[in-house]
Amino acid sequence: MKIFCILFLSLAGLVNEYQKDTKARKILESVSKKYKNIPTFSVHFIYILENKTQNIQEDFPGKLTVKGEKFKLELTEQEITNDGTNQYTYIKEAKEVTISSYKKEDTDINMINIFDIYKKNFKYQLVEELSTPLLYVIDLEPNKKEKNYFKIRIEINKKNDIKSFKLFDKNGNIYTYLIKNLEIKNNIEDTFFTFDTKKYKEIEIIDLR
């Protein structure tokens, strides 16, 4: 019983340390501040899906452009356009677009919100500092255990740029985003973030609003 109590207290101390990792929080706050102070930017990245038990290894390039609450995500097979109110998911091969109302709080973990996600319902910890190149490796763990993922790992350089992040789900899948470059944009019009269905011939529209 005594051994159990000692073990329990030790684990409680680790959890408390995980929740209150002040250095990790300071780094995350710096990253959040940097990205929020850039009004419009584009990010080129490589998306990787891995599952070692199922021998899955897939990767493809992508581009994300953000302006305030608006964004456009361009992938090989699909394009997601968000004007801040509605979201349009266009599947190129199927020639169909699904329109849905956009609620920021319902957005999954992705490159739109990854620099801000730590602020709510997460524990976080600085797990490693790499020297060549200098990278901070921070793990985030969701407080809600019913989530389909159990960990997010973010790599941040000394300039407060996110270089990569990985999402580990409970089915053995690892979703990785490798950030290739960040470009600050100052002349992108709001029309870039609208999806004009009239420009696409023989497109099927699925309106879920």
Side-chain angles (χ1 to χ4, degrees):
M1 186 68 178
K2 183 178 180 181
I3 294 175
F4 174 79
C5 289
I6 293 172
L7 178 60
F8 177 80
L9 290 172
S10 298
L11 289 172
L14 286 173
V15 170
N16 189 53
E17 180 183 356
Y18 201 95
Q19 289 175 322
K20 297 181 179 180
D21 190 331
T22 54
K23 187 169 184 178
R25 183 176 184 85
K26 185 177 180 181
I27 296 168
L28 292 169
E29 286 176 344
S30 297
V31 171
S32 178
K33 182 179 179 180
K34 175 174 182 174
Y35 280 79
K36 282 195 167 185
N37 284 335
I38 304 175
T40 309
F41 62 88
S42 289
V43 173
H44 291 84
F45 62 90
I46 301 295
Y47 170 79
I48 303 170
L49 168 61
E50 301 173 85
N51 189 311
K52 294 181 180 180
T53 58
Q54 297 183 22
N55 198 29
I56 296 174
Q57 176 78 34
E58 300 175 355
D59 63 87
F60 50 84
K63 180 183 178 182
L64 170 70
T65 305
V66 178
K67 182 180 182 180
E69 296 293 321
K70 304 176 180 66
F71 64 84
K72 179 181 282 189
L73 179 62
E74 301 169 81
L75 303 172
T76 304
E77 298 178 352
Q78 67 174 327
E79 182 179 290
I80 300 174
T81 305
N82 190 304
D83 60 13
T85 301
N86 297 309
Q87 183 160 298
Y88 301 78
T89 302
Y90 172 48
I91 308 299
K92 298 177 182 179
E93 186 175 354
K95 293 185 178 180
E96 68 176 33
V97 60
T98 301
I99 309 173
S100 58
S101 298
Y102 174 63
K103 295 181 180 179
K104 186 178 180 180
E105 59 271 18
D106 294 338
T107 305
D108 292 333
I109 307 299
N110 55 38
M111 292 183 62
I112 310 299
N113 60 8
I114 190 63
F115 59 85
D116 235 8
I117 200 70
Y118 74 95
K119 293 182 178 179
K120 190 175 181 181
N121 297 323
F122 279 91
K123 299 187 289 287
Y124 41 82
Q125 184 179 39
L126 177 63
V127 295
E128 192 173 5
E129 291 186 44
L130 304 176
S131 57
T132 309
L134 177 59
L135 287 174
Y136 301 109
V137 182
I138 296 177
D139 282 355
L140 289 81
E141 179 183 318
N143 291 329
K144 296 180 180 180
K145 300 302 180 183
E146 65 270 19
K147 294 288 187 181
N148 61 356
Y149 58 90
F150 62 90
K151 183 174 69 175
I152 301 171
R153 172 162 288 181
I154 306 176
E155 292 186 342
I156 300 165
N157 69 11
K158 63 180 180 180
K159 295 181 179 179
N160 296 320
D161 295 321
I162 296 176
K163 301 306 294 180
S164 72
F165 73 90
K166 294 184 178 183
L167 189 146
F168 299 78
D169 78 10
K170 296 175 181 177
N171 295 318
N173 297 315
I174 303 175
Y175 305 91
T176 302
Y177 292 82
L178 297 177
I179 312 301
K180 304 302 290 184
N181 69 303
L182 171 70
E183 298 177 10
I184 298 175
K185 304 285 187 176
N186 296 315
N187 56 352
I188 297 182
E189 300 293 335
D190 288 345
T191 52
F192 179 78
F193 302 95
T194 59
F195 187 91
D196 188 354
T197 57
K198 296 178 182 178
K199 293 182 178 180
Y200 298 83
K201 296 181 179 179
E202 300 179 356
I203 190 174
E204 180 183 358
I205 301 173
I206 304 171
D207 197 332
L208 303 178
R209 292 174 294 182

